[in-house]
Amino acid sequence: MRIDLHTHSRASDGTDAPAALVRAAVDAGLDVLAITDHDTADGWAEASAAAAETGLTLVPGMEISTRHRGRGVHLLAFLPDPSYPPLAAELEQVLRGRASRVPAMVARLRDLGIDITEDDVRAAAHGTAASGRPHVADALVTLGVVPDRTAAFDRYLGWGRPAHVDRYAAPLEDVLRAVAGAGGVSVIAHPWGRGGLGRPDEETLAALQAVGLTGIEVDHQDHDEQARDTLGAIARDLGLVATGASDYHGDGKTDHELGCNSTHPDEFARLLEAADRAAAAAGRDTPAVVNR
Ligand code: AMP
Ligand code: ZN
Ligand code: FE
Ligand code: FE
């Protein structure tokens, strides 16, 4: 069983349409795929329909932009009802923050003498509700300013670079409660990754677990062997589910191929059991796992 629980489509900043993501997962030999676009469930319907035509098990999820103690935390939420009002309200606020950041980044770039417009970014964002720096990067590539996304982040859009603009992220503990209320389960993405929480220790993770955290992503490209070992030990200690995933973005991110990291079937089973309990406790109509 090969299980990849963190991937992106064109519903946010991946480069594959949701159906193409599903086909790529089948081609990569995966048995289970979670689609986890940033801050939106917009890709779920297309991905679910595509997966239903195959034997692939599809888990609807999302990667929510949150903040904790002043630092950005990416929270993977699996199987929440996205229409649950407290969750919908948090997502709406994050998406508004994303939208309002685009003109600010364009203005910074124009100040640097680059002839880029909001329309260029809109074209690169192909209708996503979750426009972000990768779409600005893609616009810069199209304009011939940089060769690829990485160069755009290195020169302009990364932290501390001249066109970097901060944006709203939802309070982590509020989102943990909202996801639970929506009948879903939460897993911190790349907790010791770049731009993460600042290496949250066991005590911090235990406190978050008390608020509803179910798991942590252990096997991720941002984590070296030592980080994976330590995080795995913390997960075992606390009884957190340990996941592994590619954080695939199509052509948008190198070294994140589908299945490059994966989740152990026992951990996936625990995650689904926790989701079943959460859905029952919330009494909400949560999305189905396709081909479960
Ligand atoms: P945003 O959410 O708009 O702030 O953009 C963050 C997204 O940019 C995340 O999905 C990252 O995976 C992606 N990202 C960050 N750094 C890079 C990079 N150097 N090259 C490509 N994508 C990146
Ligand atoms: Zn992304
Ligand atoms: Fe992330
Ligand atoms: Fe991601």
Side-chain angles (χ1 to χ4, degrees):
M1 273 254 274
R2 294 186 67 209
I3 302 167
D4 190 337
L5 294 182
H6 178 174
T7 68
H8 298 267
S9 79
R10 281 167 73 116
S12 62
D13 59 3
T15 57
D16 294 352
L21 168 63
V22 165
R23 283 193 297 273
V26 171
D27 290 346
L30 294 181
D31 301 289
V32 180
L33 174 81
I35 178 172
T36 55
D37 277 303
H38 296 282
D39 308 309
T40 180
D42 285 352
W44 291 4
E46 183 183 319
S48 295
E53 305 288 311
T54 72
L56 183 76
T57 298
L58 183 89
V59 181
M62 58 179 79
E63 183 177 18
I64 305 176
S65 308
T66 80
R67 203 170 299 277
H68 186 61
R69 298 178 183 161
R71 289 176 186 270
V73 178
H74 288 180
L75 189 73
L76 295 166
F78 299 102
L79 299 162
D81 170 5
S83 73
Y84 175 59
L87 179 59
E90 297 289 2
L91 294 173
E92 198 183 306
Q93 225 182 129
V94 172
L95 292 176
R96 262 206 306 275
R98 285 182 169 280
S100 65
R101 181 175 58 159
V102 170
M105 288 190 285
V106 167
R108 292 274 183 92
L109 290 164
R110 294 191 66 84
D111 285 347
L112 293 166
I114 297 165
D115 191 13
I116 184 173
T117 65
E118 286 176 48
D119 275 343
D120 294 326
V121 179
R122 211 165 289 128
H126 42 71
T128 175
S131 52
R133 286 180 287 166
H135 305 112
V136 178
D138 289 349
L140 290 169
V141 172
T142 301
L143 291 167
V145 177
V146 290
D148 52 33
R149 277 188 184 182
T150 304
F153 274 85
D154 289 349
R155 285 189 218 163
Y156 301 112
L157 301 168
W159 181 256
R161 305 308 301 154
H164 180 273
V165 177
D166 217 354
R167 66 174 165 80
Y168 175 81
L172 174 58
E173 298 196 359
D174 292 353
V175 178
L176 285 170
R177 290 188 196 93
V179 170
V185 288
S186 296
V187 172
I188 294 185
H190 44 74
W192 287 4
R194 291 180 289 269
L197 187 60
R199 297 178 93 83
D201 57 12
E202 184 154 349
E203 195 183 333
T204 304
L205 292 168
L208 294 170
Q209 188 178 20
V211 186
L213 182 70
T214 295
I216 54 175
E217 193 175 52
V218 171
D219 286 312
H220 184 279
Q221 294 302 82
D222 281 2
H223 297 155
D224 60 20
E225 277 311 311
Q226 198 189 335
R228 294 178 196 216
D229 286 350
T230 310
L231 283 168
I234 290 173
R236 275 192 300 279
D237 240 33
L238 296 178
L240 288 166
V241 172
T243 68
S246 63
D247 203 355
Y248 173 77
H249 280 69
D251 299 330
K253 225 175 180 183
T254 52
D255 194 31
H256 286 260
E257 293 316 308
L258 283 167
C260 66
N261 300 298
S262 60
T263 299
H264 192 281
D266 294 345
E267 298 297 306
F268 180 54
R270 289 178 63 209
L271 189 73
L272 287 185
E273 283 160 19
D276 287 343
R277 283 194 299 274
R284 298 204 63 86
D285 189 13
T286 54
V289 176
V290 180
N291 293 322
R292 182 171 179 176

